[in-house]
Structures are given as structure tokens and as C-alpha cells.
Amino acid sequence: MFKINTRAIKAVPIYNESGEKLDEIHIKETIMPIPNKRGGYSERGNYYKGAGIVYRNHLECDKSINMGDKVQVIGKTGLVYENLIVCYPQLVGKFGIFSFRHQPIFSDYEGGCGLKEKQLADNQQNFELNAIEEILDIIPTGIKNHNIYCYRLKNVKGNISDTVSLIRYIMENDWNTAWDKNLWEDIESYGYVRDIADWFKSGEFRYKLGTIYALVNSLYRVNKTMYARLLLEILGFYDFDKKKMLYISAEIVKKYCKQFTDSEYDYSLKQDNWFEGLYEQLISGKACCHLEDDDMWNWVREYYINKFKGEIKK
């Protein structure tokens, strides 16, 4: 066990992989670090995203890994694009921003907010059902494309009907996110999205399917009662068969996007290949690894398709 740093801080240190302090960033308020989150709240309730993390581990992909002797492999994730959990033992328990990536799929340094997070400010203005009341400050860190985002969340409350309204809104306004994202964890008060940096615009069926699948799949994992209530409100039925979750997701897309009700997207459970067709649509969209650098991780789509074909032959 290691001791978690719970001291209030007003300066965020920057470390290299050896634990050498390179610099520090001074912020206007004192914040308390939150374990497993890259930031913390001030006494006034402002959140500082990208203001450091209590380091425990980070992720690597064995296809692109370049580890030195100081890194230890401590586990596996089951995700092909970041399948290794690794750590620098000498850094465990330290708080700050660290000059190596937290995930191989994003340029974010451990504890920091990198290139992808620049979308947060734009999406906060354009995504109506976001949970951010106001972005109060964007603080440069001195690291290329890395900033600290200070914002205040809305004081909201809601129920499952607000989730229905959120689904209708994102479908009708062409907002999308990754199909393997733990989306329900990002939803505040049933109907508002906190992490809006991971969203993009597109009217394509494959992206809409992936977005709805991300929501219902992540909700299913944590609250099956809420999952059932959501499906009842939208479709008038529910089913706990996980294989049918793709079909259910497609039906939700078609309910709010009438342009997909023609024969090209008419997947029926009576068809022998309904699952294969929807699975290929899902995989051709965006997983989390495609949100910042689609081309670099394009091989992941082929991996999932080949894996599925191999399972069919068994």
C-alpha cells in the first residue's frame, strides 16, 4: 500500500519519469487532489481539470511499447490498443503532472490535459446538454498543447426521463462519442454530459450506433434496473440478452433518426446475419483509440473484425 497525497495544493509540480522535478504551475486557488482523477476542487467548488494526479500506474500497448528498465508490468486490461498496466515504482504516490503519456492512444501526459482536451471549450459552447456551467480559466502549463481547465459544474438534478431527452438531443444534433467509452460514468444527473472533450459531430449511422451502444452498455454494467426503465421509456420493452444490445441500440438510433429506417439499416432479429451486420457497423466507427489519432490505430478495427470471424468459425 502507498500513502495517497491528500494535501491541499496551490502549485502543480511537473516530474519526469525519474521523479526529478522539472517545473511547477501556480494556480489561483488551493485545490484538493482527487484520487484517480487528474485534478481537484477548490473550496468555491471550481474544478481544475488537468491539474495533476496522484500517480498509481499508466497504460501501454505491447505493439508500440518502448519501456526502460525502470518500468514494471503489473497487469493487463483486456483492451488490444492499451493492453498493459505498467508503473514507475519510484513515482507511485507522488502528485503532479508527469512527462509521459497516461495512455498510448492520447497525447495527454499523466495527470495533464493534452491536445484532445482543447475541444472542451468549443464543445462547452455548442453541446447544449453539457454539465459545465462556465469555463472560468484556461491555464497554460508550459508543456506543448497542455492546459489546465478551470470550470464550474451546473447545479442540476434529474431522472431517467432526462436521459431519454439527452439521447434524443445527441441523435437529432449528430453528436457522437466512442463505442467503448464508459459513457454512463460521464453523465451528471441523468441528462448532462461532463466530459464533452470526447465528442464529435457526424450524421453517419455507424457513429450514432456506437454512441448509443456506449451509453446502454455502460448503464447495463452498473444498474440493470435503470437500464430496463430507460428501454421501456424509449422502446416499450427491455431485454437483458447482451447480444441483443446492438439490435436495441440500432432501434434507438432509428427511432430518433428517421433517415435510417430504409432497407439498408433494417436489421431484424429474424435475419441470420443481423448481429454480424451491426457488429461491422459498430467496429467501423470509433473506439476510444480513434478519438485523437484515427489513422495510427486503424489496425484495431481489423483486429476486432478478424477476432469476430475467428469466433464464428469455432
Side-chain angles (χ1 to χ4, degrees):
M1 291 293 291
F2 62 87
K3 185 177 180 180
I4 294 177
N5 185 336
T6 56
R7 294 175 298 171
I9 58 99
K10 200 171 182 180
V12 182
I14 301 174
Y15 295 104
N16 63 16
E17 61 190 34
S18 299
E20 177 186 359
K21 185 175 178 180
L22 306 176
D23 201 355
E24 65 180 15
I25 307 133
H26 293 270
I27 54 180
K28 295 177 181 178
E29 300 181 273
T30 299
I31 65 171
M32 183 73 74
I34 299 175
N36 299 327
K37 295 292 184 181
R38 48 179 169 172
Y41 286 98
S42 71
E43 289 184 355
R44 294 194 297 170
N46 299 328
Y47 187 71
Y48 286 75
K49 186 176 184 181
I53 195 168
V54 179
Y55 177 75
R56 304 178 76 170
N57 54 60
H58 62 284
L59 304 174
E60 289 285 2
C61 175
D62 60 9
K63 287 198 173 194
S64 60
I65 196 166
N66 183 20
M67 299 192 305
D69 295 336
K70 297 178 182 178
V71 176
Q72 292 183 1
V73 176
I74 58 176
K76 294 187 176 181
T77 67
L79 294 172
V80 64
Y81 55 79
E82 47 188 27
N83 57 337
L84 299 179
I85 305 171
V86 303
C87 82
Y88 292 104
Q90 69 275 16
L91 299 183
V92 173
K94 276 184 174 290
F95 171 81
I97 297 174
F98 302 86
S99 61
F100 52 86
R101 296 185 180 201
H102 174 67
Q103 297 170 270
I105 60 174
F106 299 133
S107 59
D108 300 335
Y109 278 2
E110 178 74 22
C113 284
L115 187 64
K116 178 173 62 68
E117 296 297 326
K118 287 189 173 184
Q119 296 178 114
L120 189 147
D122 289 339
N123 286 353
Q124 192 270 334
Q125 294 293 320
N126 299 318
F127 193 117
E128 293 179 14
L129 295 180
N130 77 84
I132 298 175
E133 179 69 39
E134 182 182 5
I135 296 177
L136 302 170
D137 200 4
I138 299 177
I139 306 164
T141 63
I143 304 169
K144 184 179 180 181
N145 293 323
H146 280 66
N147 297 300
I148 295 170
Y149 297 88
C150 173
Y151 56 76
R152 178 180 291 275
L153 293 173
K154 295 173 181 175
N155 184 14
V156 292
K157 58 183 178 180
N159 55 45
I160 199 66
S161 295
D162 295 294
T163 309
V164 177
S165 297
L166 173 64
I167 288 173
R168 181 186 297 113
Y169 171 76
I170 61 180
M171 288 292 99
E172 292 178 351
N173 291 276
D174 294 338
W175 283 106
N176 306 275
T177 191
W179 63 263
D180 60 345
K181 184 175 175 61
N182 185 5
L183 183 50
W184 188 253
E185 187 178 278
D186 285 341
I187 293 178
E188 182 93 4
S189 299
Y190 297 95
Y192 298 83
V193 178
R194 287 192 303 272
D195 190 354
I196 52 175
D198 291 338
W199 290 74
F200 61 95
K201 284 269 197 171
S202 175
E204 292 188 45
F205 178 81
R206 56 179 175 159
Y207 299 131
K208 290 175 178 287
L209 176 68
T211 301
I212 297 301
Y213 180 80
L215 192 152
V216 296
N217 185 44
S218 55
L219 174 57
Y220 176 92
R221 290 200 302 265
V222 297
N223 194 323
K224 290 181 178 59
T225 300
M226 198 69 68
Y227 171 83
R229 288 178 57 196
L230 178 66
L231 297 190
L232 273 176
E233 286 220 25
I234 296 177
L235 300 175
F237 72 91
Y238 61 88
D239 194 308
F240 293 119
D241 184 343
K242 283 214 69 177
K243 186 177 180 181
K244 291 181 183 176
M245 197 176 291
L246 264 177
Y247 171 77
I248 287 168
S249 299
E251 290 299 293
I252 293 174
V253 172
K254 290 192 289 183
K255 172 164 183 162
Y256 297 113
C257 303
K258 302 303 182 184
Q259 66 270 34
F260 299 123
T261 55
D262 58 29
S263 58
E264 182 182 355
Y265 303 99
D266 187 20
Y267 294 95
S268 168
L269 294 178
K270 295 180 181 180
Q271 295 173 323
D272 291 336
N273 63 343
W274 71 266
F275 184 82
E276 182 177 358
L278 285 173
Y279 182 82
E280 288 182 355
Q281 286 277 357
L282 181 76
I283 299 305
S284 70
K286 290 182 184 286
C288 286
C289 60
H290 302 118
L291 291 174
E292 185 174 323
D293 192 337
D294 198 315
D295 291 341
M296 179 178 178
W297 300 95
N298 187 47
W299 63 267
V300 173
R301 295 184 176 97
E302 185 177 352
Y303 167 86
Y304 280 121
I305 291 296
N306 290 336
K307 181 180 178 183
F308 176 68
K309 289 179 179 178
E311 290 175 351
I312 288 178
K313 292 178 180 178
K314 291 179 181 179

